[in-house]
Amino acid sequence: MSQSAILLIHCPDQPGLVALVTEFVHKNRGNILDLDQHVDQDLNHFFMRIEWDLTNFVIPREKINDYFETLIGAAYDMKWSLKFTDRKPRIALFVSKASHCLYDILQRHGTGEFDCEIPAIISNHEQLRYIAERFEIPFYHIPITKETKAAQEAKTKELLEDFDVDFIVLARYMQILSDDFCTHFSHRIINIHHSFLPAFKGARPYHSAFTRGVKLIGATSHYVTADLDEGPIIAQDVARVSHRDGINDLKRIGKDVEKRVLSRAIYLQLKHRVLPFGNRTVIFN
Amino acid sequence: MSQSAILLIHCPDQPGLVALVTEFVHKNRGNILDLDQHVDQDLNHFFMRIEWDLTNFVIPREKINDYFETLIGAAYDMKWSLKFTDRKPRIALFVSKASHCLYDILQRHGTGEFDCEIPAIISNHEQLRYIAERFEIPFYHIPITKETKAAQEAKTKELLEDFDVDFIVLARYMQILSDDFCTHFSHRIINIHHSFLPAFKGARPYHSAFTRGVKLIGATSHYVTADLDEGPIIAQDVARVSHRDGINDLKRIGKDVEKRVLSRAIYLQLKHRVLPFGNRTVIFN
Amino acid sequence: MSQSAILLIHCPDQPGLVALVTEFVHKNRGNILDLDQHVDQDLNHFFMRIEWDLTNFVIPREKINDYFETLIGAAYDMKWSLKFTDRKPRIALFVSKASHCLYDILQRHGTGEFDCEIPAIISNHEQLRYIAERFEIPFYHIPITKETKAAQEAKTKELLEDFDVDFIVLARYMQILSDDFCTHFSHRIINIHHSFLPAFKGARPYHSAFTRGVKLIGATSHYVTADLDEGPIIAQDVARVSHRDGINDLKRIGKDVEKRVLSRAIYLQLKHRVLPFGNRTVIFN
Amino acid sequence: MSQSAILLIHCPDQPGLVALVTEFVHKNRGNILDLDQHVDQDLNHFFMRIEWDLTNFVIPREKINDYFETLIGAAYDMKWSLKFTDRKPRIALFVSKASHCLYDILQRHGTGEFDCEIPAIISNHEQLRYIAERFEIPFYHIPITKETKAAQEAKTKELLEDFDVDFIVLARYMQILSDDFCTHFSHRIINIHHSFLPAFKGARPYHSAFTRGVKLIGATSHYVTADLDEGPIIAQDVARVSHRDGINDLKRIGKDVEKRVLSRAIYLQLKHRVLPFGNRTVIFN
């Protein structure tokens, strides 16, 4: 099977950008498989995702970045990232006690729907170790107290670097990460929050939803930033509830939404279809 | 066609309430057409909607309230309201400049889907008068400034009393009602707010939704209380949006959700299926 | 924690049925926890679900059926079933090669969301044995060919009787059951079909959906009858697709809908909220 | 405000197509505003929508088609259509007796959401004339019987040509058009069918949905072809129903879905975002 390259690009808008990039690919004998572009009219900013077949591409992989920078990128003040479809992303899963998102991810990983490596499951609790063992994935118990937080995060960071992790998924991980940690892994941590953000930020969103008497509950997957529950949103969905649903029903119904939304965000990330910009995301799909 | 009566009841829960009420109806030769009950376990509170055919009912209509109070209601600390299906509710529509909800309501009224009287359309602007005229419904232009607000609300209240209005629908009425007015018409004013409450309360919710980069936008229909956008929610729905949608797209897509959600709330109200309790609603459907 | 009883009743409609049943419960000192009833106006047929606390109920459990029959059921031509909430339903899972529904069910079972026993997983293939082993549930490989079908179904039936199974879940089981088997377990087999029935009955529904160019795909959970994909529907849902989605995308997106819809149907069945009648179902929720 | 041109293109896929078309636009000083392309891998077919600002474009409008054909189109076996955003599409509405879709369309037209001309409303009944009059749009009553059908269709065709109509919207028009008429206006007639096609084709879909006991009902907007309800689908949506909903409820709930789906299809058509191919559509949005 042939391999392909993906460029995710953004820059200030101006005429001719699409033609420039497509010409770069085409002239060097890359066959464009997929192209999607978007201009934010309010911000006058340009976004593009282009994927091409590398079979006959004349620029060697390791030089594509250089050539692109020299020929186009620098002159147009572009920011970009280059991905190759034959490089499996490596993700670390952070969990606490709830198993629904973890099983959902591991089942998708096991059947190949999630085309990635999962070198580690990390948890502040022991409860889900048995699941990691069932799926034969190394499990690391890194308990955290107020006193040990800094040291444990340092240890975690080391582990993630050892494992050459591309991004982190917080699959109902019930610990707030330090600002440093968030900044270090900027746009590389995906969280699932159990509410329809920006409604019900912070702790116990289902209790708040119940008290407010909403008729829909939701879940939101977003990149983690130092501002709690304020990072760029990747995916959201909702489910219908009624007065018949007590708090435990909201939790039960919400779990379905959580796992669906988180897995959707992971899928988009694995396919290199998410481009964060400021506090928003462009989703190419 | 036979007529029926509806009781909407709530009270502290205790054993035997359902049996008591059904016996009251049955012993007096009312045929129960529909019964729905709910117990809020957290609050230990009982809710019930019962509808019965009046054809052979031995208690005269005008005495049902008295008998119910004497035989059951008072002893069990019940609150209830009694409705008759042959009494068409009378509603007043408040509008400003946007026509989408107004047309949606008038079309449903015209085809009989909304089985009600609409004696008046009231507006702080002249723009939608032509629609009222097209549908041959009296239109009252009651402009409001900071200085005239109290006087104009007094005038409005008088008008509503003259028309014997049961409830008021704010069909994108862009004025904040005074606390007095809200309290006077408690649980009798239905508003549509153009966001998924409690997210994006107050002004310009589509702008806020755009800035936050949400992937779904919503609308909420609720009873109006003195606390802006905080009243009991009757209906909510959402629509999917993407980074491609600018603020004007959000407004356009949102209109569809607004009119659908508001009309849903009106329908439920007209069928006597909404029971507000505290800051929540029980929807019998 | 106190135990409760549930009656699912249906019969030709006539005045007084609700009062009769609630009186039966109340007079015998049962406290009604939940009551829902429905009259199908076209068929003039009555449906009811009533749940009551058994703590002070004066009729012993094992005599409730007799008493109910004698006092009410026989006289009103009722059909009913009586359930007790402290009796965990016993379900058998039938699978073939796809793991997504199986994991979803086992995860819910493991966390107590599905309050039931799963004494056996039965399959015509070996592929999913490892999942059964991970969850420590006995796995039975019962391969089926045209020639062995009758014998293998007989063996299966025996197994199910040994395990005292209440109902069977076909979690993407890719074998057509014989008419005899379907009839023997009437209203006791729940299937998930990977289309929005009645569209795309039979084999390869995602291929058909792709060819027809639909913009939504769906899944349907239903009781199995001798007529393939024609049994009473319990739950349905859909997901949005576009021209960008090839057949493999439809399959991937569809899996999410399938597992959600099947688990919804199982949950309703476990809570005794499904009453099949003719080719339809009444869902009390 | 500047004007733009839109090309909707499809052809057998081969390397370099995107680069070719973008170069054509760019070299002639057109600024690309929006580009979306899709390759159907199964059919090896290429689809593209490109929109560019005409302000500095050096090819005169009336010659764009020629130049495009000579320089690219012919050599690559392309089919394309060229649109200009300053040319308002002209649509004719066909109705019978139901008003909900008609009002929805006219309200959107009136507020500018539908940027088009509506030179005529045509009906086989007189019932909705008053709505046309309210909106001051010419209404043509063209009654149809088996005997008069051919003559009346000829008269209709003439009318449509006089009005220079771009496409026709069947807004719950309850007449089957002749094969000739369908062929003559190929891909220019948009219908709304009141079911989730391909389920419940033909007459009385809500009755069939009720009988089958489905838990969701739907509506489908599609191009009309000689095969009834078999044309390429543009938009679909569904709404949740339950056993409580009789046939009249399905009709009521369905109307909401019908008008939403039809208006969605019209909007896409007006924005030149629909490309029919075989029996499917590519929707660029």
Side-chain angles (χ1 to χ4, degrees), chain A residues 36-38 196 198 200 210 212 214-216 229-231 233 236-237 243-244 279-281 283, chain B residues 36-38 196 198 200 210 212 214-216 229-231 233 236-237 240 243-244 279-281 283:
Chain A
D36 199 1
Q37 61 87 46
H38 170 65
F196 181 83
F200 309 128
F210 179 81
R212 182 61 189 91
V214 293
K215 301 300 184 189
L216 295 168
D229 301 332
E230 292 282 7
I233 293 170
Q236 294 189 293
D237 208 347
H243 63 270
R244 291 192 178 277
N279 207 39
R280 307 172 67 219
T281 61
I283 307 288
Chain B
D36 199 0
Q37 61 86 45
H38 170 65
F196 181 84
F200 310 127
F210 179 81
R212 183 62 188 90
V214 292
K215 302 300 184 188
L216 296 168
D229 301 332
E230 292 282 7
I233 293 170
Q236 295 188 292
D237 209 347
R240 199 155 287 283
H243 63 272
R244 294 194 177 276
N279 206 40
R280 307 173 68 221
T281 60
I283 307 288

Side-chain angles (χ1 to χ4, degrees), chain D residues 262-283:
Chain D
L262 179 58
S263 286
R264 171 98 186 120
I266 296 170
Y267 183 81
L268 291 169
Q269 177 76 26
L270 290 173
K271 295 289 183 186
H272 312 299
R273 296 192 168 276
V274 189
L275 200 169
F277 178 69
N279 205 40
R280 309 172 66 220
T281 60
V282 171
I283 307 288

Side-chain angles (χ1 to χ4, degrees), chain B:
Chain B
M1 198 192 145
S2 65
Q3 302 310 331
S4 59
I6 293 162
L7 269 172
L8 286 166
I9 304 166
H10 70 93
C11 63
D13 191 32
Q14 58 174 283
L17 293 171
V18 175
L20 260 175
V21 178
T22 55
E23 208 176 278
F24 168 79
V25 173
H26 184 56
K27 287 280 164 73
N28 292 299
R29 304 189 50 205
N31 182 25
I32 297 170
L33 299 173
D34 199 56
L35 185 156
D36 199 0
Q37 61 86 45
H38 170 65
V39 175
D40 188 309
Q41 306 286 356
D42 296 308
L43 304 169
N44 203 35
H45 207 81
F46 174 84
F47 303 89
M48 186 174 185
R49 183 187 185 276
I50 184 166
E51 180 172 354
W52 70 94
D53 187 320
L54 289 170
T55 311
N56 301 313
F57 201 57
V58 296
I59 307 175
R61 277 174 183 238
E62 64 281 5
K63 301 215 169 150
I64 297 177
N65 252 327
D66 277 3
Y67 276 59
F68 186 77
E69 180 172 15
T70 309
L71 295 171
I72 304 178
Y76 291 86
D77 199 12
M78 287 179 176
K79 304 253 183 286
W80 70 92
S81 63
L82 175 68
K83 310 285 180 185
F84 298 102
T85 56
D86 58 359
R87 202 284 188 188
K88 284 196 188 194
R90 298 172 63 80
I91 73 179
L93 304 180
F94 283 36
V95 298
S96 289
K97 296 178 182 174
S99 66
H100 56 291
C101 288
L102 181 58
Y103 267 124
D104 201 64
I105 293 165
L106 296 179
Q107 187 271 329
R108 291 173 201 261
H109 179 241
T111 59
E113 179 182 326
F114 283 173
D115 190 22
C116 62
E117 306 286 344
I118 304 180
I121 296 172
I122 291 169
S123 182
N124 55 333
H125 293 285
E126 278 286 4
Q127 273 88 337
L128 301 185
R129 179 186 289 278
Y130 75 101
I131 301 178
E133 287 173 359
R134 282 180 178 176
F135 285 83
E136 293 166 20
I137 295 174
F139 181 89
Y140 298 86
H141 178 213
I142 305 185
I144 289 178
T145 62
K146 226 181 258 182
E147 292 72 33
T148 63
K149 185 155 186 162
Q152 296 296 63
E153 279 200 351
K155 187 176 152 188
T156 305
K157 215 188 279 188
E158 225 170 273
L159 209 60
L160 296 171
E161 269 152 28
D162 285 356
F163 283 126
D164 191 19
V165 157
D166 292 295
F167 64 98
I168 297 160
V169 172
L170 309 185
R172 296 299 312 271
Y173 179 68
M174 305 305 274
Q175 277 285 327
I176 295 171
L177 301 168
S178 73
D179 290 9
D180 272 3
F181 195 93
C182 295
T183 307
H184 183 82
F185 291 101
S186 174
H187 293 149
R188 293 173 58 197
I189 312 174
I190 294 177
N191 184 40
I192 180 73
H193 182 73
H194 40 316
S195 85
F196 181 84
L197 288 175
F200 310 127
K201 277 182 269 198
R204 295 162 63 87
Y206 292 130
H207 288 77
S208 306
F210 179 81
T211 304
R212 183 62 188 90
V214 292
K215 302 300 184 188
L216 296 168
I217 56 169
T220 304
S221 188
H222 62 96
Y223 288 115
V224 173
T225 59
D227 287 333
L228 188 65
D229 301 332
E230 292 282 7
I233 293 170
I234 305 168
Q236 295 188 292
D237 209 347
V238 293
R240 199 155 287 283
V241 296
S242 82
H243 63 272
R244 294 194 177 276
D245 298 307
I247 287 170
N248 286 332
D249 295 301
L250 299 194
K251 285 181 184 171
R252 172 178 55 81
I253 295 165
K255 280 178 184 172
D256 268 25
V257 189
E258 292 165 26
K259 70 190 190 192
R260 185 161 83 237
V261 169
L262 179 56
S263 286
R264 171 98 186 118
I266 296 171
Y267 183 81
L268 292 168
Q269 177 77 26
L270 290 173
K271 295 289 183 186
H272 312 299
R273 296 192 167 276
V274 189
L275 200 168
F277 178 69
N279 206 40
R280 307 173 68 221
T281 60
V282 171
I283 307 288
F284 296 108
N285 67 334

Side-chain angles (χ1 to χ4, degrees), chain D residues 1-251:
Chain D
M1 197 191 146
S2 65
Q3 302 311 328
S4 58
I6 294 161
L7 269 174
L8 287 165
I9 304 167
H10 69 92
C11 63
D13 191 30
Q14 58 174 284
L17 293 172
V18 174
L20 262 175
V21 178
T22 54
E23 209 176 277
F24 168 80
V25 173
H26 183 55
K27 288 279 163 73
N28 293 299
R29 304 189 51 207
N31 183 25
I32 296 170
L33 299 173
D34 199 56
L35 184 155
D36 200 359
Q37 61 87 45
H38 170 64
V39 175
D40 188 307
Q41 306 286 357
D42 297 308
L43 304 170
N44 203 36
H45 207 81
F46 175 84
F47 302 88
M48 186 172 184
R49 182 187 186 276
I50 184 165
E51 180 171 354
W52 69 95
D53 189 320
L54 289 170
T55 311
N56 301 313
F57 201 57
V58 296
I59 308 176
R61 279 176 181 236
E62 64 281 7
K63 300 216 169 149
I64 297 177
N65 252 327
D66 277 3
Y67 277 57
F68 186 77
E69 180 172 15
T70 308
L71 295 171
I72 304 178
Y76 292 85
D77 200 12
M78 286 180 177
K79 304 249 185 288
W80 70 92
S81 63
L82 175 68
K83 309 285 182 185
F84 297 103
T85 56
D86 58 358
R87 202 282 190 192
K88 283 197 187 193
R90 297 172 63 78
I91 72 179
L93 305 179
F94 283 35
V95 299
S96 289
K97 296 179 182 173
S99 66
H100 55 291
C101 288
L102 181 59
Y103 267 125
D104 201 64
I105 293 166
L106 295 178
Q107 187 272 327
R108 290 173 201 261
H109 179 242
T111 58
E113 179 183 325
F114 283 173
D115 190 21
C116 63
E117 306 287 344
I118 303 180
I121 297 171
I122 291 169
S123 182
N124 56 333
H125 293 285
E126 279 285 4
Q127 274 90 336
L128 302 184
R129 179 185 291 277
Y130 76 100
I131 301 179
E133 288 173 357
R134 282 180 179 177
F135 285 82
E136 293 167 19
I137 293 174
F139 181 88
Y140 298 87
H141 178 214
I142 305 185
I144 289 178
T145 62
K146 229 182 256 180
E147 292 72 32
T148 64
K149 184 154 188 164
Q152 296 295 63
E153 278 200 352
K155 187 175 152 187
T156 305
K157 218 189 275 187
E158 225 170 274
L159 209 61
L160 297 172
E161 271 150 28
D162 286 356
F163 283 127
D164 192 18
V165 158
D166 291 295
F167 65 96
I168 297 160
V169 172
L170 309 185
R172 296 302 310 272
Y173 180 66
M174 305 305 274
Q175 277 283 327
I176 295 171
L177 300 168
S178 73
D179 290 9
D180 273 0
F181 195 94
C182 294
T183 308
H184 183 82
F185 291 101
S186 176
H187 294 150
R188 293 172 58 199
I189 312 174
I190 294 177
N191 184 41
I192 180 74
H193 181 73
H194 40 315
S195 85
F196 181 83
L197 288 176
F200 309 128
K201 277 183 269 198
R204 296 163 63 89
Y206 291 131
H207 287 77
S208 305
F210 179 80
T211 304
R212 182 62 188 89
V214 291
K215 302 300 184 189
L216 296 167
I217 56 170
T220 304
S221 188
H222 62 95
Y223 289 116
V224 173
T225 59
D227 285 333
L228 188 66
D229 300 335
E230 292 282 7
I233 292 169
I234 304 168
Q236 295 189 292
D237 209 347
V238 293
R240 200 155 285 283
V241 296
S242 82
H243 64 272
R244 292 192 177 277
D245 298 307
I247 287 170
N248 286 332
D249 296 301
L250 299 194
K251 285 180 184 173

Side-chain angles (χ1 to χ4, degrees), chain A residues 230-242:
Chain A
E230 292 282 7
I233 293 170
I234 305 168
Q236 294 189 293
D237 208 347
V238 294
R240 199 155 287 283
V241 296
S242 83

